[in-house]
Amino acid sequence: MSIEVKNVTKIYGEQKALDDVSFSIEPGHIVGFLGPNGAGKSTMMKIITCFIPQTTGSVSVCGFDVIENPIDVKRQVGYLPEHNPLYIDMYVKEYLDFVGGVYKIENRTARIKEMIDMVGLGIEQNKKIGALSKGYRQRVGLAQAMIHDPKVLILDEPTTGLDPNQLEEIRNLIKNIGKEKTIMLSTHIMQEVEAICDKTIIINHGKIVANDKTQDLQNQQQNQIVLKVEFDKSTTQKDLQNIEGVIQVKNSNNNTWLFEIEKDAVRNNIFQFAMQKEIVVLSIQKETQSLESVFKKLTT
Ligand code: ADP
Ligand code: MG
């Protein structure tokens, strides 16, 4: 196992941030660690990377225990913290050289060049970190996390605060890196795990509420059909709710309604209803249920 977490609890003073958390991550996966703010994601990641100790339970990385063998763990793990505390007065290369020194990396100059190429820092490599955009700072953070060629990468909200272009670039970069390494990345954005993670662990109030292949979590939703129907004139929720086979209906906007229905055939009933009321169905569209609804169900 790349990461093995067993019955971990973390208590800050009076507050339980993690409550009997267990999961394992196999090599070669990109795992999304998904949860609302305050769920315990960063706390879990700080424990895995030996920054803080758990209160009870055990954590190992590539077979090394975080309490017994922290030095071995740190050799195997690269970490991009949530508020990536980069030294803004340092030049990009100077900073990477500094980090490389901490890890006692040989042929440092060559390795730094390799990292700059890998994360796409080329054109910005001679600047001070403080002069870089958030997207480029994240690249420096990723280079820093990978400079000692760890097997496992822990990325805490790596795309938070990026604009849509930067987001796309950093996601692609992470996907590429994931071909070689095991990655655990935290996020509170559902689309993120759909876009890049093959497995998803959902955490809420310090407890694991789902742990599955991303695809399987998405499939859980497929039994539920949601239709978006636009009529040409107004009607009432009460009337629509009475159509046979309709589980729930809510207004989307104006004359557009979202129907949760039992099965596809219920569409006929909606057409029948419209005909009787002399209403025209302008459009009818199946909404794909995303991981977002699984997430909402599990965390509210
Ligand atoms: P997330 O990263 O999912 O947003 P965190 O792990 O940062 O969540 O926080 C989990 C809970 O623990 C939150 O309620 C937070 O306020 C609390 N917490 C985090 N760090 C500390 C700390 N150093 N001292 C006290 N409480 C903390
Ligand atoms: Mg956090």
Side-chain angles (χ1 to χ4, degrees), residues 12 15 17 35-44 46 82 156-157:
Y12 292 113
Q15 192 186 0
N37 286 329
K41 303 181 296 294
S42 297
T43 299
M44 190 69 248
K46 285 178 199 161
E82 185 174 19
D156 197 354
E157 307 219 11

Side-chain angles (χ1 to χ4, degrees), residues 1-5 22-26 31 199 201 211:
M1 283 299 160
S2 290
I3 299 174
E4 183 98 60
V5 174
S22 299
F23 61 86
S24 51
I25 294 179
E26 293 160 39
V31 178
K199 287 195 159 183
I201 298 173
N211 181 357

